[in-house]
Amino acid sequence: MANDYYEILGVRRDASKDEIKKAYRRLARELHPDVNPDPATQERFKEVTQAYEVLSDDSKRRMFDMGADPFAPGGGAGAGAGGFGATGFPFDDIMNAFFGGGQPGGGRGPRDRVRRGRSIKVRVELDLSEAAFGVTKDVTFPTAVLCDTCQGEGTAKGSHRRTCDMCHGRGEVSQVARSFLGQVMTTRPCPQCSGQGSVITDPCADCSGEGRVREKVTRKVQIPAGVEDGTQIQLAGEGEVGPNGGPRGDIFLEIVQRPHPIFERRGDDLHCTITVPMTAAALGASFTFETLDGTEEIDLRPGTNSGHVMTLAGRGSKRLDGSGRGDLMIQVDVETPAKLDEEQEAMLRKFAELRGEDKPPGKFSPGHSGLFSKLRDAFGAR
């Protein structure tokens, strides 16, 4: 068996639920990310939480004691997807046939008060450069945290939970009814203690007996390079604390990429459009261009047509899998002047005459030799 959950929590194999809970709480207070942010310690905290999830659940603990790990790929020894073994029978049904059922968590008796907290989703807005290259962000969000006053017990200082006087600690009540088949006994969770077998007579004033309080917290999270709009990042065991000090759920960070004023992102590639005068497109030009990596010198070759795309390889976003970067695609839009003064119009007419383009469109000849030499003569090289 890959993990010995008893050894991880430091308890005997015949440890009671209370001993398991106390061992978990002791370790959780030492290893919790709020107290010790060291990555190795956080991994240890996740192991401890996983061990508690198994040993605090009757059915999972029985599976583990019989040689199956509920968290192993495929659901444990011999189990396939959906909890079915190699023969196709549901494992949980077989366990219930031998050990009883009908209660959440398997088996009769009081329900476990400690439950896992719910997972939460947090939206994180990023600029294009932050999404492309990665960033460390402080993320603030409301969540449920362990009550410092009662440490998850839910009781006021100096008081304790007492056995429910309706079910006498069983967590369930039985009722006998007569029918044409004779007497029928039905069992249901105790309405007074909600099936927990004990009640709080003096609840903690800070958490009202829930063992947790709500507050805004700030987490420093590392956003990997290459994320894009809609990407979700899971932070296991960083969500809400469960009722009565139960293990945390998860946090799912949903990435929202803000629009960029120049670049449009398509996958790992960046696209943009630049507008150049027709003289620069005809004669060629050099200009500076601001990329995500800084200012670069771009050469526009003579005779560039509108719609031409220049590619700057490796100037796009980093890829999420770390295999490199996308490209930057610059599309050229050649601008034709809409208004000309007399001198400009005269020069263009002269140029058209030199090109043989002053004829009616029906007789227009697209080919003409010496284009660039005559263009430079007419406008002057720039």
Side-chain angles (χ1 to χ4, degrees):
M1 191 174 298
N3 296 314
D4 188 338
Y5 296 126
Y6 292 101
E7 183 178 342
I8 290 174
L9 288 183
V11 297
R12 305 185 312 274
R13 301 191 73 84
D14 60 349
S16 66
K17 276 194 172 184
D18 284 340
E19 291 174 327
I20 290 171
K21 180 172 62 177
K22 288 178 181 178
Y24 169 70
R25 286 183 174 171
R26 175 178 54 79
L27 292 171
R29 281 194 287 268
E30 296 175 3
L31 304 172
H32 197 277
D34 291 343
V35 178
N36 195 333
D38 178 63
T41 304
Q42 292 184 27
E43 287 300 318
R44 169 72 172 149
F45 176 72
K46 292 176 184 178
E47 290 179 359
V48 168
T49 300
Q50 181 172 299
Y52 178 73
E53 287 189 41
V54 172
L55 299 184
S56 64
D57 185 286
D58 291 337
S59 61
K60 291 179 181 177
R61 184 175 180 178
R62 284 196 297 269
M63 289 175 63
F64 181 74
D65 290 341
M66 295 175 67
D69 187 344
F71 284 97
F84 285 81
T87 59
F89 293 99
F91 186 77
D92 286 343
D93 289 351
I94 297 174
M95 296 297 294
N96 288 336
F98 280 96
F99 298 102
Q103 294 256 19
R108 294 184 180 273
R111 297 176 178 177
D112 193 351
R113 294 184 298 107
V114 177
R115 299 193 305 276
R116 188 172 189 263
R118 72 182 183 94
S119 297
I120 56 179
K121 181 180 288 187
V122 180
R123 289 164 59 91
V124 181
E125 291 192 1
L126 302 177
D127 294 329
L128 175 59
S129 59
E130 293 175 329
F133 300 129
V135 67
T136 299
K137 298 281 285 188
D138 286 329
V139 180
T140 302
F141 53 91
T143 186
V145 299
L146 191 71
C147 177
D148 290 332
T149 303
C150 67
Q151 293 296 312
E153 289 291 343
T155 57
K157 188 175 181 180
S159 67
H160 302 280
R161 298 178 70 96
R162 67 171 178 81
T163 302
C164 175
D165 55 14
M166 178 177 284
C167 66
H168 304 291
R170 295 193 304 272
E172 58 188 15
V173 292
S174 300
Q175 183 178 6
V176 178
R178 290 183 176 277
S179 72
F180 68 93
L181 296 176
Q183 289 186 337
V184 178
M185 179 178 289
T186 59
T187 302
R188 59 188 177 90
C190 175
Q192 181 167 290
C193 65
S194 300
Q196 296 177 4
S198 60
V199 294
I200 297 176
T201 55
D202 190 8
C204 172
D206 290 339
C207 66
S208 301
E210 194 178 356
R212 58 181 183 170
V213 294
R214 299 199 66 83
E215 63 180 40
K216 279 193 173 182
V217 300
T218 299
R219 292 262 193 276
K220 191 176 290 293
V221 297
Q222 179 66 46
I223 308 297
V227 297
E228 53 186 308
D229 196 64
T231 299
Q232 287 199 0
I233 302 172
Q234 181 181 8
L235 303 179
E238 295 292 327
E240 290 191 352
V241 167
N244 300 297
R248 288 180 177 270
D250 300 331
I251 292 179
F252 292 91
L253 303 179
E254 182 181 16
I255 302 300
V256 178
Q257 182 181 295
R258 301 188 191 100
H260 192 275
I262 298 175
F263 300 116
E264 176 189 354
R265 182 174 176 181
R266 302 175 193 171
D268 299 315
D269 295 330
L270 302 180
H271 295 255
C272 69
T273 299
I274 60 171
T275 301
V276 299
M278 68 175 187
T279 51
L283 297 172
S286 295
F287 58 92
T288 57
F289 187 81
E290 193 70 30
T291 70
L292 294 183
D293 298 276
T295 302
E296 296 197 21
E297 193 77 13
I298 304 296
D299 291 325
L300 187 70
R301 71 169 186 261
T304 298
N305 294 316
S306 190
H308 173 72
V309 176
M310 296 183 294
T311 301
L312 301 184
R315 292 295 186 272
S317 168
K318 288 186 176 181
R319 296 190 176 94
L320 191 57
D321 61 4
S323 61
R325 293 179 61 177
D327 300 328
L328 172 58
M329 314 290 209
I330 305 174
Q331 180 173 311
V332 178
D333 185 9
V334 179
E335 183 181 40
T336 302
K339 293 183 179 180
L340 301 172
D341 59 27
E342 292 184 359
E343 182 181 2
Q344 292 170 342
E345 183 178 352
M347 293 179 68
L348 277 179
R349 290 188 181 280
K350 179 63 176 176
F351 173 66
E353 181 181 345
L354 292 172
R355 291 273 296 160
E357 297 171 355
D358 55 337
K359 303 172 184 177
K363 299 180 181 179
F364 179 74
S365 175
H368 195 284
S369 61
L371 165 63
F372 298 116
S373 61
K374 293 180 180 179
L375 183 64
R376 291 186 176 87
D377 292 341
F379 287 91
R382 299 181 183 178

